[in-house]
Amino acid sequence: MKKYSLIYLKNQLRGNWGYIILAVVFISVGAFFEFLGPKLIGITVDSVVGSKPFDLPQFAVEILEKWGGREFLVRHLYLLIAIFAVVAITTVLCEKGRLFASHNLGENLGYNMRQSVFEHLQRASFSYHKNVQTGDIIQRCSSDIDMVRNFVVEMTQIVRVIAKIAMAYWFMFDISVALALISFVSVPAISLFSVLFYKRIQEKFTAADEAEGELQAMAQENLSAPRVVRAFGKQKYELDKFQRDNEEFTRLWIKVGDLLALFWAGGDILTSFQIVLVLCASTVFAVNGDITTGEVVSFMTFNGMLAWPIRSLGRIVGNMSKATVALGRIAEITEAPVEDYDSGVEFKFEHDITFNDVCFSFDSQVIFDHLSFTIKKGQTVAILGASGSGKSTIMALLCRFYTPDSGSITIDGVDINDINLVGLRKNISLVMQEPFLFSKTIGENIAVTDRRGDMDRIVAAAKIADVHDDIMDFADRYDTVVGERGVTVSGGQKQRIAIARCIYTGANVLMFDDSLSAVDAMTDRRIRANLNRHTKDLTCVIISQRVNTLMQSDNILVLDKGRIVQQGDHKKLCSEDGIYKEIVKIQQDVLEKTREEAQ
């Protein structure tokens, strides 16, 4: 188990050490009374049924002699019944106390781990989220946490096993040192067998656990895009892929099961050998007069009671293997790099946003090489370029989803890395090309940044985004619940709701990443007209391939392979040869051809 994993587990156990101590106390007391019963049975056989002197502490013998000794107990057998009842009830109460303490320990630990992992995921960097599979993360946050939680609860069983073994051998050595040593032979043998098994099975558990994560990730991805799967007729392909992953997952867990079966069989053989050995030895000792009949009864009872604790070492070791792997996978999440939301200067935007010689690479692919441009406050800046030219990356860098390799991005001369991240993102609102809607009402989706949404502001934002009339056509209007991932609404409606959400935030900078691609030309024109009226004093950055969407911008940046090859307003760019002029001509030709075909 990695050192960091142990540190993480220790931190999650804070505030629960009282339950651990309570469980240990109940286990220790319960183990004593559990083994006290067989001891009293042996004394009853030898000293009440038989006539051997009582094998009890001196003070207890003196009390019994004062009451009348053996004859007194024979005449008052109900006292023996009462004593056995008290021992049994105390054992049960101690077990109840242990379960109470361990249950609270486990549930509190599960709560702490879920809270810490989710909190860390909220602060984890964008690059981390981009490189992980959702299904795998969900598996780590659910079944892996349950695995660790259950094992920590089972850790009380380890204390219980140790206490039982210690208590049993305390009583057994008191009966016969030689017989106790014979009985003890199997303990180191099973322990060594368990250690060897632990090393062997840990790799198998790791592979099986990772296969489960892959299977969940594949299922989650498939269920997240049912339209795509059906639209392209990929059901057979996805089914075959799932079957391959499922077969691999099953094969790995069968291997784990085979190893566990081997371990349990080996444990059973060793335990059976120990019981037979002790039975033969105790018989010989009794025939030779070294121990009494009552001591044989007690010793064999103790030995039988040891069978479960010794055999449970195998189950505990097996679960330890799984818990170790699960804890390592959980700890990996908490080791992920996080964003700093606390430090930095307050956000101010009075003059310019400047990209100064920005170089950026992603997965060894150069995106920008000394990119420089300026966005002035109150301007509408448009970005045009082929797919992969770096348009969306500009917005990601400005939101500090990524950090430039070199160069700087400044707001009013202050590097954005020195600006408080919360303030930065609060004042820069972004609409993605494929916006995400939560499984909430439309009103709650628009006012997602506000716990108590202002209905007047919600409606005003929806009207600017030209989606108000569509919303009013729904039966529940703004209280209409959007299905998972926004399946209740169309693509265009989803984009416009996202635009309304962007406007509702009241941010100083609005960025639209091709967020009008799913609406028709007339709706596009109305939204742009509304935005021009609403964003008169705001700064807008618009990514689009439609010239009609870009032509009203104050400045248009034309990107090609991460470089700005043209820059200026629509009139200027149309007057010079280049990519922009070619795109304008192509779109005009397409429009003319469409009109001719319509006639």
Side-chain angles (χ1 to χ4, degrees):
M1 191 178 293
K2 295 180 179 179
K3 182 179 179 182
Y4 180 79
S5 299
L6 290 173
I7 294 173
Y8 171 75
L9 181 59
K10 181 180 177 181
N11 290 336
Q12 301 312 305
L13 285 171
R14 286 178 180 172
N16 290 288
W17 291 104
Y19 287 120
I20 295 176
I21 295 171
L22 194 63
V24 170
V25 170
F26 280 122
I27 286 169
S28 302
V29 176
F32 173 77
F33 276 93
E34 188 172 353
F35 283 91
L36 181 60
K39 177 68 175 178
L40 294 177
I41 291 174
I43 293 173
T44 302
V45 172
D46 285 339
S47 303
V48 178
V49 178
S51 58
K52 181 185 174 183
F54 287 101
D55 183 16
L56 292 171
Q58 186 59 37
F59 76 92
V61 174
E62 292 176 357
I63 293 174
L64 273 175
E65 292 298 333
K66 187 181 294 185
W67 287 353
R70 175 179 176 276
E71 291 75 14
F72 175 78
L73 290 177
V74 171
R75 293 195 307 270
H76 302 83
L77 288 177
Y78 63 87
L79 290 177
L80 290 175
I81 297 173
I83 292 171
F84 282 115
V86 168
V87 170
I89 291 171
T90 304
T91 303
V92 171
L93 291 176
C94 287
E95 177 63 9
K96 181 177 176 60
R98 180 191 70 83
L99 291 173
F100 166 80
S102 60
H103 177 75
N104 279 274
L105 169 65
E107 294 305 321
N108 289 343
L109 175 64
Y111 171 85
N112 290 342
M113 293 179 71
R114 287 190 294 269
Q115 198 70 20
S116 68
V117 169
F118 190 78
E119 181 180 338
H120 196 91
L121 285 172
Q122 296 303 302
R123 298 177 65 92
S125 64
F126 182 79
S127 58
Y128 172 79
H129 283 285
K130 192 175 181 68
N131 293 320
V132 297
Q133 294 180 306
T134 304
D136 183 56
I137 292 296
I138 290 174
Q139 196 238 359
R140 296 186 191 208
C141 294
S142 53
S143 60
D144 280 351
I145 286 181
D146 286 338
M147 182 76 68
V148 175
R149 176 181 63 84
N150 292 334
F151 179 71
V152 170
V153 171
E154 196 171 40
M155 288 287 285
T156 61
Q157 290 285 7
I158 294 179
V159 178
R160 191 181 182 200
V161 168
I162 294 173
K164 282 191 171 186
I165 292 174
M167 201 64 64
Y169 281 107
W170 181 44
F171 283 111
M172 291 164 79
F173 271 98
D174 184 55
I175 294 173
S176 172
V177 174
L179 202 55
L181 290 174
I182 293 172
S183 172
F184 191 73
V185 169
S186 66
V187 176
I190 293 179
S191 300
L192 178 62
F193 184 57
S194 299
V195 170
L196 295 176
F197 174 80
Y198 172 75
K199 291 181 178 179
R200 176 77 184 277
I201 201 172
Q202 189 170 12
E203 295 179 0
K204 302 297 181 183
F205 272 131
T206 302
D209 211 29
E210 289 176 352
E212 184 179 358
E214 290 288 337
L215 190 67
Q216 285 203 15
M218 188 267 173
Q220 187 271 336
E221 184 181 64
N222 185 276
L223 294 174
S224 297
R227 291 179 179 175
V228 175
V229 173
R230 284 154 180 77
F232 289 93
K234 291 187 63 179
Q235 292 97 323
K236 180 66 167 57
Y237 171 81
E238 293 293 332
L239 181 60
D240 291 342
K241 182 181 177 184
F242 183 85
Q243 183 176 351
R244 288 193 300 270
D245 291 346
N246 194 19
E247 287 174 352
E248 176 65 10
F249 169 76
T250 304
R251 183 184 67 81
L252 289 171
W253 277 106
I254 287 175
K255 282 189 174 182
V256 171
D258 291 342
L259 283 173
L260 286 172
L262 178 64
F263 178 80
W264 280 110
D268 286 344
I269 291 172
L270 290 173
T271 303
S272 299
F273 172 77
Q274 186 241 23
I275 292 173
V276 172
L277 184 64
V278 171
L279 178 60
C280 294
S282 61
T283 302
V284 172
F285 281 33
V287 170
N288 293 334
D290 296 325
I291 58 175
T292 65
T293 304
E295 287 174 333
V296 171
V297 172
S298 295
F299 199 96
M300 290 306 300
T301 305
F302 291 142
N303 193 63
M305 292 172 69
L306 275 177
W308 176 85
I310 294 175
R311 289 184 63 192
S312 66
L313 288 174
R315 176 173 52 83
I316 293 172
V317 168
N319 290 341
M320 182 185 293
S321 301
K322 293 185 282 186
T324 300
V325 173
L327 182 60
R329 284 164 52 81
I330 296 166
E332 281 179 7
I333 296 177
T334 61
E335 287 182 286
V338 297
E339 296 177 321
D340 181 7
Y341 291 95
D342 301 319
S343 62
V345 298
E346 292 300 318
F347 179 91
K348 290 184 179 180
F349 182 29
E350 300 294 339
H351 303 289
D352 302 326
I353 298 174
T354 303
F355 279 63
N356 183 31
D357 285 331
V358 171
C359 297
F360 178 70
S361 301
F362 188 79
D363 289 342
S364 73
Q365 179 184 359
V366 177
I367 307 298
F368 296 130
D369 185 15
H370 300 287
L371 178 70
S372 298
F373 64 90
T374 298
I375 302 173
K376 296 185 179 295
K377 183 177 182 180
Q379 276 190 335
T380 296
V381 175
I383 303 175
L384 176 69
S387 177
S389 60
K391 305 183 298 296
S392 298
T393 307
I394 289 176
M395 294 187 172
L397 288 170
L398 189 54
C399 289
R400 270 177 61 185
F401 293 153
Y402 302 115
T403 302
D405 300 331
S406 63
S408 63
I409 303 172
T410 62
I411 297 178
D412 294 347
V414 180
D415 194 307
I416 62 169
N417 292 318
D418 298 327
I419 295 176
N420 179 267
L421 189 57
V422 175
L424 177 70
R425 292 179 181 170
K426 185 177 180 181
N427 286 278
I428 297 179
S429 192
L430 173 64
V431 183
M432 303 287 189
Q433 181 179 1
E434 297 180 2
F436 180 88
L437 297 184
F438 296 94
S439 297
K440 299 181 178 181
T441 67
I442 293 176
E444 288 172 330
N445 268 284
I446 295 175
V448 73
T449 57
D450 190 356
R451 291 186 178 182
R452 297 181 179 179
D454 185 329
M455 199 60 208
D456 292 336
R457 285 178 57 199
I458 292 173
V459 172
K463 287 181 177 178
I464 293 171
D466 197 44
V467 72
H468 174 72
D469 292 341
D470 292 48
I471 295 172
M472 296 304 288
D473 287 338
F474 289 118
D476 296 323
R477 300 181 177 180
Y478 283 89
D479 291 326
T480 300
V481 177
V482 176
E484 187 175 1
R485 301 181 69 88
V487 295
T488 303
V489 295
S490 68
Q493 290 169 335
K494 187 188 300 184
Q495 284 189 336
R496 283 178 285 160
I497 291 172
I499 292 172
R501 178 168 62 194
C502 174
I503 295 167
Y504 182 91
T505 63
N508 295 323
V509 181
L510 306 181
M511 298 195 296
F512 304 92
D513 187 359
D514 208 7
S515 52
L516 295 173
S517 59
V519 300
D520 59 81
M522 291 297 295
T523 304
D524 183 342
R525 187 178 305 164
R526 288 196 300 270
I527 293 173
R528 282 188 288 107
N530 294 339
L531 285 172
N532 288 336
R533 288 193 297 271
H534 174 73
T535 61
K536 189 177 297 182
D537 298 324
L538 299 179
T539 303
C540 287
V541 179
I542 300 175
I543 291 176
S544 180
Q545 299 292 352
R546 287 180 179 175
V547 172
N548 286 339
T549 302
L550 307 178
M551 60 191 304
Q552 301 299 324
S553 302
D554 300 305
N555 191 23
I556 301 172
L557 307 177
V558 182
L559 291 180
D560 183 31
K561 297 178 180 179
R563 297 180 299 111
I564 296 177
V565 294
Q566 285 184 283
Q567 184 175 177
D569 59 19
H570 175 73
K571 185 176 180 181
K572 175 180 179 298
L573 295 180
C574 284
S575 65
E576 61 185 40
D577 293 334
I579 295 175
Y580 189 83
K581 187 175 182 178
E582 292 177 7
I583 292 176
V584 170
K585 184 177 184 308
I586 290 171
Q587 292 190 9
Q588 286 178 342
D589 289 345
V590 171
L591 183 60
E592 289 296 329
K593 186 176 181 180
T594 302
R595 287 175 178 172
E596 290 175 2
E597 291 176 352
Q599 293 175 353

